[in-house]
Amino acid sequence: MGEVVLRHVFFILFIVLFSLGTAHAERRVALVIGNSDYDNVSLLQNPRNDANGMSERLQDLGFDVTLGVDLKLGDLRRTIHRFVRKLEGADLALFFYAGHGLQVNGQNYLVPTDAQLESHLDLDFETVSTNLVMNAMEKSAKVNLVFLDACRDNPLAENLARSMGTRSGAIGKGLAKIGSGVGTLISFATQPGNVALDGNGRNSPFTAALLKHLGTPGFDITRELILVRRDVLAATGGQQVPWENSSLTGEVVLKQKEVVAPVVPRIDPQIELTYWNSIKDGSSVAYFETYLNRYPSGQFADIAQIRIEEINAGLANAETERKQQKASAEIAYWQSIQTAREPEMFESYLARYPEGLYADLAKLKISSLRKQAADAAKSETIDVTLKSEPSLEQQVATLTPEKPRSDPTRETATPKELARAIQTELNRLGCSVGRVDGDWGRRSRSALKSYYREAGSDLASLDPEPAVLDQLRKSSGRVCPLTCGRNQKLENGSCVALKQKLPFNETEKKNKTKSASSARSCPADPTARLLQFNTSGGTRILTHPCGRSAICRFGSPTGRDTQPIRCYWK
């Protein structure tokens, strides 16, 4: 609201200052001369028209114009004198001349209509030097503009050249270059030493372009002369090139751009009040923005701006709260599935929160679980090389998990059938219940409890119920770890048999093999087939034909008992 008020204040201040500046505008004076009807040479068609057109144009631009048309020598001097008297204190002075002119010894002269120039002595008495006008302008005015359209073919210059004989070389073609003082611009219809064309229209090509572009709103005089040069080149087919010599120290704008004050519509207070009452309780920013567009400086503009800020702040807070609630819901969802063993649980999270906080972690979980399932599938077929028949526990532990079976009669199944189906599913998931017999006992409950623990699921029930069966069928792969039986160990995901200890060491095994190679093998009873014995205090060493010796104890240490009490192989 404050910015709107300031803009209006500055704009009104600018209008006031511009009006004051216009009321105290700079003082502008101009001298305009056009000679067409010469007494002693043929008539020039355009200079009279050029002078009249330039006079009207300059008056429109605020100049006090001194106009002279077809002036004889006396009239020319008097017209110049009237102009010089107006120069004192002028801000901008302008001199325009159209007609015959000539240069002698580098000096330019204006030719009145009654000039004859039969002798070189007549030059100072029958013409007027341009320096007379230039010197007066530069002494009095701050800025001076000179436009000379006097570079035409001049028969009087030829008369003067004939009268001068060998000195005729001092007479140049066209006008000579003029040096300018500070703050002066001199513009020629064509370049120095060249002849300008008179043209076939009402005005000469040079003056016609001046009348078109001089006083273009907002244009500096230098920019205007560029446009003049383009038009003259186009009109003359490139034969005539306007030229200027400038020592201006700033821009000279003959006509400023008009500043159009905006039309401020009259505001009816009652209509504004009615409009405000209809929207003041609104909850949409659009209501108050529309009010400000219609009444930018209205009675309630400040309040409307405050309401806009309040509504935007409320929307921002609501959006922040919504984001926080969404984040809380996502965190709760993740916490409910983070320990799941099924990739589908994390896929459901990604479907709901594709750019969620845990999206990357969910992708890693899915990849890890699928790899674990693939590894488990490879190790579930176990080749147990045992001599004895594997136990029931071993058979269950090495079962390859089957795919969940469909059971269309789940709702009508008997308790025993339901228990048998749940036992089958637990065995498929690696949670061994032993024999699938439909008897729901301690081992079945323990297996179901192990499933809940390993799957990271809530403990729903330990009894055979349809909901339990549904939950088990949703699981895939092995859930419970592999359990090996007696005389087995877990190695690389499989159950392998333990190596049994042999009854002999390697030396005894070799000796036994060597003895067995004899003709007769050693009997199981060391006392059989006794050949000889040595007595040593009731203990005797017996030798058998198989080559082995036995130590036997007898009843009498010194007796000659033939039957030992106890023997054992040495």
Side-chain angles (χ1 to χ4, degrees), residues 337-392:
I337 67 167
Q338 61 182 347
T339 58
R341 295 298 185 91
E342 300 82 16
E344 293 79 9
M345 300 294 287
F346 299 99
E347 288 174 350
S348 68
Y349 168 84
L350 289 176
R352 180 174 295 186
Y353 305 103
E355 303 294 334
L357 300 172
Y358 309 100
D360 293 338
L361 184 57
K363 294 174 183 177
L364 292 175
K365 283 272 191 181
I366 293 171
S367 177
S368 177
L369 290 174
R370 286 177 175 169
K371 184 176 184 302
Q372 291 176 12
D375 293 343
K378 293 179 181 178
S379 62
E380 283 175 355
T381 303
I382 305 171
D383 182 16
V384 181
T385 56
L386 297 175
K387 293 181 180 179
S388 61
E389 183 71 15
S391 65
L392 179 62

Side-chain angles (χ1 to χ4, degrees), residues 151-431:
C151 306
R152 298 166 172 82
D153 286 331
N154 190 353
L156 295 175
E158 298 176 2
N159 294 342
L160 186 61
R162 284 194 298 270
S163 67
M164 294 179 69
T166 58
R167 292 173 295 172
S168 61
I171 301 175
K173 189 176 182 180
L175 296 182
K177 181 178 179 180
I178 302 175
S180 60
V182 176
T184 299
L185 179 143
I186 304 172
S187 178
F188 296 88
T190 188
Q191 62 268 42
N194 198 13
V195 176
L197 302 178
D198 195 39
N200 298 322
R202 174 178 174 81
N203 300 106
S204 71
F206 178 65
T207 302
L210 281 177
L211 293 175
K212 178 180 177 182
H213 297 293
L214 210 60
T216 301
F219 277 30
D220 172 58
I221 186 63
T222 304
R223 187 175 178 184
E224 292 173 340
L225 290 177
I226 291 174
L227 299 178
V228 169
R229 185 177 298 111
R230 291 178 181 174
D231 284 4
V232 173
L233 283 169
T236 63
Q239 298 180 40
Q240 181 176 332
V241 184
W243 176 88
E244 64 262 3
N245 180 30
S246 174
S247 60
L248 295 176
T249 58
E251 289 188 346
V252 177
V253 181
L254 297 179
K255 186 175 183 179
Q256 300 290 343
K257 274 190 175 180
E258 295 182 2
V259 179
V260 180
V263 178
V264 181
R266 179 180 175 274
I267 300 175
D268 189 329
Q270 187 59 40
I271 295 177
E272 181 186 356
L273 179 60
T274 303
Y275 189 95
W276 174 257
N277 287 334
S278 67
I279 68 165
K280 64 180 181 180
D281 297 324
S283 59
S284 174
V285 171
Y287 292 144
F288 301 97
E289 288 179 344
T290 303
Y291 170 82
L292 288 177
N293 290 334
R294 180 172 294 188
Y295 304 106
S297 303
Q299 304 174 58
F300 310 101
D302 291 338
I303 301 176
Q305 188 62 45
I306 293 173
R307 287 289 294 127
I308 290 174
E309 294 173 359
E310 288 177 348
I311 293 173
N312 286 334
L315 293 175
N317 293 336
E319 179 65 17
T320 301
E321 184 177 354
R322 186 187 67 81
K323 290 181 179 179
Q324 291 175 349
Q325 292 176 352
K326 183 178 179 181
S328 299
E330 180 185 352
I331 292 172
Y333 189 95
W334 175 259
Q335 290 175 346
S336 68
I337 67 167
Q338 61 182 347
T339 58
R341 295 298 185 91
E342 300 82 16
E344 293 79 9
M345 300 294 287
F346 299 99
E347 288 174 350
S348 68
Y349 168 84
L350 289 176
R352 180 174 295 186
Y353 305 103
E355 303 294 334
L357 300 172
Y358 309 100
D360 293 338
L361 184 57
K363 294 174 183 177
L364 292 175
K365 283 272 191 181
I366 293 171
S367 177
S368 177
L369 290 174
R370 286 177 175 169
K371 184 176 184 302
Q372 291 176 12
D375 293 343
K378 293 179 181 178
S379 62
E380 283 175 355
T381 303
I382 305 171
D383 182 16
V384 181
T385 56
L386 297 175
K387 293 181 180 179
S388 61
E389 183 71 15
S391 65
L392 179 62
E393 289 83 358
Q394 297 169 3
Q395 295 176 8
V396 172
T398 58
L399 283 176
T400 300
E402 300 175 359
K403 295 182 180 178
R405 305 187 194 118
S406 59
D407 186 6
T409 62
R410 179 180 65 83
E411 298 297 337
T412 59
T414 64
K416 194 173 187 67
E417 291 173 343
L418 186 60
R420 186 182 297 109
I422 293 176
Q423 288 174 338
T424 301
E425 293 298 325
L426 287 172
N427 281 343
R428 178 180 65 82
L429 297 173
C431 305

